[in-house]
Structures are given as C-alpha cells and as structure tokens.
Amino acid sequence: MIPNIAVILTNAQKRILWVNDDFTHITGYSLPEVVGKSPGRILQGPKTEPEAVDKIRHGLANELPFRGEITNYRKNGEEYLCRLVIHPVYDESQNLTNFIAFEVDGNAVETELPIPLLNLEEKYSSSSLKGMEELRLYLRMKQTIEEESLFLDPNLSLRSVADRLSTNTKYLSQVVNHNAKCNFQQFINFYRVTEVKEKIKDPKFYNLTLFGIARQCGFKNKSTFYKVFKEVTGMTPRKYLKQ
C-alpha cells in the first residue's frame, strides 16, 4: 500500500495551520487538537534525540530544507521513528510565509521504500503556491482511492478519477507523475498488487486460483497480472505464495 504521508503546514512562526488525515492516522491527533500549536511540543518526548532537534531548529532558523529522522510520540504515548522533510515556503517577493513538512512512520515503512515526497528537490516558492495545490490534489486522490477502494474496479480510468475529483486528466496525470514518480496505471496497480498479497494470506481465498484472486483485486488480464506483480514485488505470484 502507498504509505501514509503526514503533511503539516505551519505559518512562518512555526505554528500549525493545517494537517492532513494521514497525520491523524499516524499520530492520533486531529486537526482541531493541533491548530496553533508547535509540532515539536506536541510530538516530541523523553527519547527524542536532542541532536535531531538541534538540526531541525538550525534548518528552520536559517530557512533551509531539512531531511532526517527523529523519535516522535503518538497521542497515546507510543514512540515511533519519524522520517521527515521540511521545506520553507516563500511568496513572490521571496518572503518566508510558511513551512511544510512531510512525514512517514518509520516503524511502518521499509527503509528502502522510495517515497518521492521525502526528497529535497521540490521547492514550494511560487507566488501561487502551485506546489501546494498539486500536493492537495494528490493527497485527495490518494485518500479517495484508498477509502473507496477504487482500485478494485477493473475498469477504473484516469478520466473516471479525474471526474470524481472535479479536475482534468492532464493535471491529474501530472500530479501522479510528479508525486508518485509513476504513471496512473502503475499507481493503481501498486494498490492491486498489495491487495492480492493480503488475500493470498487469507484462508477465505484458499479455494481460488492466483488469477481468481487477482480478478477480485481489479486485474482483468492474466498475463498483465503476472507481469505487474513481478515488477512490484520482484518475484512471481507463485514464488511469493511459497514464501
């Protein structure tokens, strides 16, 4: 499954203006609970590394992008490894207006898993904040696909998702390419493969063939299923099943 990516938008004074649903999923804190507060005061605790805190503070003070790891705490007191990047955001006059952070739960994400949003290449500095607009559409698309399991529909198309989100296919395609570093079909197939892997483990589906399971997960073509599964996992479905 595409990992939960928490997004935190603060003002220039580092007070939270907005967080997404993935932030709530990871930390347990809802948007009303954190608005106006400092992310550090909410999420840091006894085992938070002082050196990591110092690096983040240095980056923020000097308006520099930051990437690193830090031990954070959920609302229930559970600690977790937070992998994050923080970008300064500027207006058209290059005045600092915001900071935006992207975070994943390092306990739930494989170290080698590439997450495009956790790099320092994107710059959120245009006057219209196009990067922010694009990000919001990407996160809204991701949330809709996951919550409604749209990937299970074998006839799902870029156009049908674009229509559902009241946008156009060209812009939605660009959003997927930029933020997920793949095309729309590859993005959807990643979800389908993840669903196949879950169903393979479930005794309720032991009476089905591998392609029978794949059909329930949105695949229409057997050869496409085998090809995509190997591309995503690095092994054939049968080898995965044996493991």
Side-chain angles (χ1 to χ4, degrees):
M1 188 67 69
I2 304 296
N4 290 302
I5 303 175
V7 183
I8 306 172
L9 180 67
T10 76
N11 57 20
Q13 291 71 44
K14 313 175 195 67
R15 299 295 175 177
I16 295 175
L17 300 175
W18 175 82
V19 297
N20 67 342
D21 289 341
D22 281 2
F23 175 87
T24 301
H25 179 85
I26 292 173
T27 69
Y29 290 103
S30 65
L31 175 59
E33 290 178 297
V34 300
V35 167
K37 298 179 180 179
S38 163
R41 289 187 178 276
I42 298 170
L43 300 174
Q44 293 169 13
K47 294 185 180 179
T48 298
E49 301 83 356
E51 60 273 19
V53 174
D54 288 342
K55 289 180 180 178
I56 292 174
R57 287 175 176 169
H58 178 268
L60 295 177
N62 291 278
E63 300 180 15
L64 298 172
F66 171 85
R67 176 178 178 175
E69 298 180 350
I70 190 170
T71 298
N72 276 350
Y73 288 79
R74 310 186 208 279
K75 183 178 178 180
N76 64 8
E78 177 186 9
E79 66 182 70
Y80 70 98
L81 176 65
C82 174
R83 296 196 177 107
L84 76 160
V85 298
I86 305 173
H87 296 275
V89 180
Y90 302 93
D91 62 18
E92 59 185 349
S93 300
Q94 290 303 298
N95 297 312
L96 179 70
T97 59
N98 306 89
F99 289 99
I100 185 167
F102 305 100
E103 305 179 352
V104 297
D105 181 350
N107 298 343
V109 176
E110 299 176 6
T111 302
E112 66 273 15
L113 181 65
I115 303 174
L117 286 175
L118 294 189
N119 62 52
L120 297 178
E121 296 175 2
E122 179 61 27
K123 299 183 185 302
Y124 298 89
S125 58
S126 66
S127 59
S128 61
L129 292 184
K130 291 180 180 178
M132 285 292 297
E133 294 170 3
E134 179 181 282
L135 173 66
R136 288 193 180 101
L137 177 58
Y138 172 73
L139 294 173
R140 189 156 58 92
M141 176 198 67
K142 179 176 176 289
Q143 181 179 10
T144 301
I145 288 172
E146 292 177 0
E147 290 184 350
E148 301 182 23
S149 297
L150 298 183
F151 51 89
L152 298 180
D153 178 3
N155 297 312
L156 186 70
S157 66
L158 179 66
R159 178 169 294 280
S160 65
V161 176
D163 289 345
R164 182 181 289 264
L165 298 175
S166 300
T167 187
N168 62 68
T169 55
K170 181 179 179 180
Y171 192 24
L172 187 60
S173 178
Q174 291 175 347
V175 165
V176 176
N177 291 340
H178 189 189
N179 291 282
K181 294 295 188 286
C182 62
N183 62 41
F184 178 78
Q185 195 59 54
Q186 291 169 326
F187 184 80
I188 295 301
N189 282 339
F190 188 93
Y191 283 101
R192 289 171 175 163
V193 168
T194 302
E195 190 73 10
V196 169
K197 289 163 63 178
E198 291 301 315
K199 281 184 166 57
I200 283 177
K201 303 172 187 175
D202 192 334
K204 291 189 300 184
F205 300 96
Y206 283 177
N207 63 315
L208 297 178
T209 64
L210 285 170
F211 183 55
I213 291 175
R215 284 173 61 88
Q216 293 200 6
C217 300
F219 286 101
K220 291 194 294 185
N221 182 279
K222 186 175 182 178
S223 61
T224 298
F225 160 59
Y226 275 84
K227 178 176 180 290
V228 169
F229 192 95
K230 188 171 184 179
E231 287 176 349
V232 173
T233 67
M235 64 183 75
T236 66
R238 294 191 183 281
K239 184 175 180 181
Y240 182 85
L241 178 61
K242 289 179 180 179
Q243 288 189 344

